[in-house]
Amino acid sequence: ANRCINLGSKKGDIILDPFAGSGTTGVACTKLNRNYILIELDPNYVKMAYHRLKGLEQDMFLSHAREIGELV
């Protein structure tokens, strides 16, 4: 997903994934600084994607906090 999103969009673009599944597109978009809209009908996959993206955002926040701490 990373390669396709990187080649087909620019930073800040919005990516639509109408079959989100476990949220792989959302993960790639987060890492590549793209916005995203995910659509998924299966509640099990919605929960999976939600928790996966929530964990990724927390990891990225902690990573940035460490970088800032090293700069100060």
Side-chain angles (χ1 to χ4, degrees):
N2 287 341
R3 184 171 183 202
C4 291
I5 291 168
N6 200 30
L7 291 173
S9 65
K10 298 176 288 205
K11 289 182 180 182
D13 282 354
I14 300 172
I15 307 299
L16 172 66
D17 184 356
F19 307 102
S22 64
T24 300
T25 298
V27 170
C29 287
T30 300
K31 291 180 178 180
L32 296 171
N33 296 315
R34 271 57 166 184
N35 299 299
Y36 56 90
I37 299 170
L38 304 178
I39 301 170
E40 180 54 58
L41 295 177
D42 186 326
N44 294 320
Y45 279 113
V46 171
K47 288 178 190 175
M48 187 183 312
Y50 172 79
H51 290 293
R52 188 173 178 197
L53 291 165
K54 184 177 177 182
L56 176 67
E57 290 174 3
Q58 289 174 347
D59 289 346
M60 291 183 74
F61 173 78
L62 292 174
S63 175
H64 289 305
R66 275 189 231 111
E67 288 176 13
I68 291 169
E70 290 173 4
L71 295 174
V72 175

